[in-house]
Amino acid sequence: MEIGISTFAETTPDVRTGKVLSHAERIREVVEEIIFADQVGLDVFGVGEHHRKDYAVSSPAMVLAAAAPQTKRIRLTSAVTVLSSADPVRVFQDFATLDGISNGRAEIMAGRGSFIESFPLFGYDLNDYDELFDEKLELLLKIRASEKVTWKGGHRPAIHDRGVYPRPVQDPLPVWIGSGGNQESVVRAGLLGLPLVLAIIGGRPTQFAPLVQLYKRAAAHAGHDVSKLPVASHSHGFVAEDTELAADKFFPSTQYSMNILARERGWGPYDRSSFDMARSFEGALYVGDPETVARKIIHLRKRVGVTRFFLHVPVGSMPHEDVMKAIELLGTKVAPIVREEVAKWEAAGEPQE
């Protein structure tokens, strides 16, 4: 069971002081967070891609590469790369470079992206949303499979027997599919034999179990070894020494950020009752002391079948020292509890989903 962190490098105002970090300051904080996550024994760190003022990172590979030489074991992934509006050749080159710097620890998490700012920025039509992703994923996987590429599509100039360099340390370079729970994307990942990441940020996480089973059936139908296909979850949360302290620290910035999205997308307002319901045992927020968060992750593993868990922290801008403390507790307190429990199941041969 892999445990890690994901971040979107938010630069919303601090709800206590009103201060807004510059993009440069927040990027430097994220690099520190990656290095510290490695030091406390976490398995993976994911950095999201956005193209708007309230998020600092538009190029995850650059930020991950800044941390790579200062880390030893942690895997480094985008979360996600908005492949629909990117050039797959450049995406592969960037992450192959990161793979070289980290000596084989880079991963790509490819997705359509739930934010659309990159489409007009790079000259793409939202009417081609689905077609763009399908075509560009096809090209990315073709580049991954072969040094020389010949390819033709409808939204990018053709490639005729051209080499794509550098080649990565890992063969193949890991490519995951990020999904918000769309059945078509889950089936696609299964048919292609690609690892799956589910964004479980609302409702009851156990409701995602049928999607995981659908993914596995699709993979088995296509002839892939299901036992070798990991499934990850990406969920909001925060760890502190005390559960109520964790909730009180995490709620204000989370509310601020969620209400920005609510206004943009026509959702209802996000309030403390919504937050408290979501941090219940069956809810999608992983907020609490180490024991509480560990038990919820174990429940997710057993009921849904995930083999990797991303704690997404912060949601909105929080004091850097609070984020670092949450990373420390996740690595030194939460992860050992989860790993020990999963090891017991495996030793006893008990079902885990």
Side-chain angles (χ1 to χ4, degrees), residues 10-13 26 55 253-254 256-257 312-318 323:
E10 293 90 338
T11 53
T12 53
R26 185 66 188 115
Y55 298 95
S253 59
T254 299
Y256 187 97
S257 254
H312 186 84
V313 60
V315 178
S317 294
M318 293 183 69
V323 176

Side-chain angles (χ1 to χ4, degrees), residues 86-97 143 156 164-166:
D87 182 344
V89 175
R90 201 61 174 148
V91 168
F92 184 87
Q93 289 174 327
D94 286 346
F95 281 87
T97 300
I143 296 167
R156 186 200 186 282
V164 179
Y165 307 104

Side-chain angles (χ1 to χ4, degrees), residues 157-222:
I159 303 173
H160 300 287
D161 194 32
R162 305 297 298 179
V164 179
Y165 307 104
R167 304 308 295 179
V169 174
Q170 299 174 92
D171 185 15
L173 180 67
V175 174
W176 295 62
I177 297 296
S179 171
N182 178 282
Q183 288 191 357
E184 290 183 4
S185 63
V186 165
V187 169
R188 178 193 294 104
L191 293 175
L192 292 172
L194 298 175
L196 175 68
V197 186
L198 292 167
I200 304 179
I201 57 175
R204 294 171 59 242
T206 53
Q207 293 173 322
F208 283 76
L211 281 175
V212 173
Q213 293 306 314
L214 178 63
Y215 163 71
K216 291 183 176 181
R217 289 197 299 272
H221 177 76

Side-chain angles (χ1 to χ4, degrees), residues 133-150:
F133 184 76
D134 291 345
E135 181 177 294
K136 293 191 174 194
L137 180 61
E138 175 190 287
L139 176 54
L140 178 64
L141 295 179
K142 193 150 192 172
I143 296 167
R144 183 177 78 151
S146 176
E147 181 177 328
K148 293 288 185 73
V149 178
T150 297

Side-chain angles (χ1 to χ4, degrees), residues 108-163:
I108 300 170
M109 189 191 299
R112 291 179 176 85
S114 63
F115 294 81
I116 60 172
E117 289 83 7
S118 63
F119 288 82
L121 185 63
F122 296 114
Y124 291 102
D125 190 334
L126 279 170
N127 291 323
D128 300 325
Y129 187 79
D130 291 324
E131 190 176 306
L132 280 166
F133 184 76
D134 291 345
E135 181 177 294
K136 293 191 174 194
L137 180 61
E138 175 190 287
L139 176 54
L140 178 64
L141 295 179
K142 193 150 192 172
I143 296 167
R144 183 177 78 151
S146 176
E147 181 177 328
K148 293 288 185 73
V149 178
T150 297
W151 176 89
K152 185 177 182 179
H155 297 279
R156 186 200 186 282
I159 303 173
H160 300 287
D161 194 32
R162 305 297 298 179

Side-chain angles (χ1 to χ4, degrees), residues 46-58:
V47 178
E49 173 193 341
H50 294 88
H51 301 270
R52 48 188 284 164
K53 187 176 182 179
D54 47 354
Y55 298 95
V57 176
S58 61

